[in-house]
Amino acid sequence: MTKQNILNCLRKINSECVKVGKHKVKITVADIIWHQLIELESPATNQKNKKRLIVILNSRGCSYAIKGKGPCFNCGLVTASNQGYKVSPKDIAKQFNKIINYYNFSDQNIVELDLFNAGSLLDNWQISADIRETLFTQIATLDKIEDILIDSRPEDITKEKILSIKSIIKNKQLWIGIGLETSSDIIR
């Protein structure tokens, strides 16, 4: 399958049905979520029996890459996104709700949540301020979560956005990965 075929499939996913066994199943953007639970056993941090949940929500993807400035040299996430096609806030919320309902955060001792979107979580073009508030409000209710990790391009990180998130998540730690590959705009 060529890259163009994959892109075409992603673009049509809201309206197409796929065959699963003998049945046709409608797949929507809200159905496409990547997640993985990982043990956090580290002698240095004494994190025995604690877990980290990594979630990649399906979104428009990185505006830097899609709007023609990128993608960054070492980044392949643009192909994991919806290639610029808008994903409704309702679908993003549905994706996250599926994760919240799938895992038992208390019983599984999930202490870290890594929330990604194949782009910059603080870019309003990709994830609106309203949906970010909804996501972090849900995360704030997860008592066992101590650390939250997100990715963002540096230009999307503002004091207002950080203060807004911190006011919602209170005492939980917020970590922001910026994925710095180089400080040179020529190489980037």
Side-chain angles (χ1 to χ4, degrees):
M1 183 174 258
T2 68
K3 181 178 178 180
Q4 191 59 46
N5 288 347
I6 293 169
L7 295 178
N8 289 339
C9 288
L10 286 170
R11 289 180 175 137
K12 293 179 186 176
I13 201 148
N14 268 328
S15 61
E16 291 197 357
C17 292
V18 294
K19 194 169 184 181
V20 179
K22 296 179 182 179
H23 309 284
K24 282 193 172 183
V25 178
K26 182 170 172 133
I27 303 284
T28 68
V29 170
D31 294 317
I32 303 173
I33 318 158
W34 184 90
H35 52 97
Q36 182 175 8
L37 195 58
I38 299 173
E39 295 285 335
L40 277 177
E41 293 198 31
S42 168
T45 59
N46 199 22
Q47 295 281 329
K48 293 189 185 285
N49 300 318
K50 294 188 178 183
K51 295 183 177 127
R52 164 188 189 197
L53 177 61
I54 303 168
V55 177
I56 303 177
L57 300 171
N58 187 17
S59 73
R60 291 178 105 164
C62 179
S63 63
Y64 184 81
I66 291 167
K67 292 180 178 180
K69 296 178 184 174
C72 294
F73 184 71
N74 287 322
C75 183
L77 288 178
V78 70
T79 58
S81 73
N82 210 26
Q83 299 293 305
Y85 283 79
K86 188 167 183 168
V87 178
S88 75
K90 181 180 174 183
D91 280 336
I92 292 172
K94 281 183 185 177
Q95 291 174 59
F96 194 67
N97 285 334
K98 284 183 180 189
I99 294 298
I100 296 296
N101 293 326
Y102 184 81
Y103 289 97
N104 183 330
F105 283 78
S106 295
D107 290 349
Q108 293 191 42
N109 208 20
I110 301 170
V111 297
E112 180 180 325
L113 176 62
D114 300 357
L115 184 61
F116 306 123
N117 68 310
S120 177
L121 200 81
L122 298 178
D123 179 354
N124 292 334
W125 184 80
Q126 297 170 57
I127 304 285
S128 70
D130 290 343
I131 197 64
R132 259 195 317 271
E133 183 178 326
T134 299
L135 298 175
F136 284 106
T137 299
Q138 287 181 282
I139 294 168
T141 67
L142 303 171
D143 294 332
K144 290 263 186 168
I145 297 293
E146 299 167 3
D147 296 299
I148 304 161
L149 174 65
I150 63 173
D151 271 351
S152 183
R153 289 191 47 84
E155 62 267 25
D156 298 322
I157 302 169
T158 65
K159 182 178 182 179
E160 293 78 22
K161 289 176 185 174
I162 301 303
L163 290 175
S164 172
I165 293 168
K166 288 298 288 175
S167 73
I168 297 168
I169 64 171
K170 307 287 185 223
N171 295 326
K172 297 179 187 306
Q173 290 293 316
L174 177 66
W175 300 87
I176 303 175
I178 60 170
L180 182 65
E181 298 177 80
T182 179
S183 60
S184 168
D185 284 334
I186 295 169
I187 295 173
R188 193 181 342 206

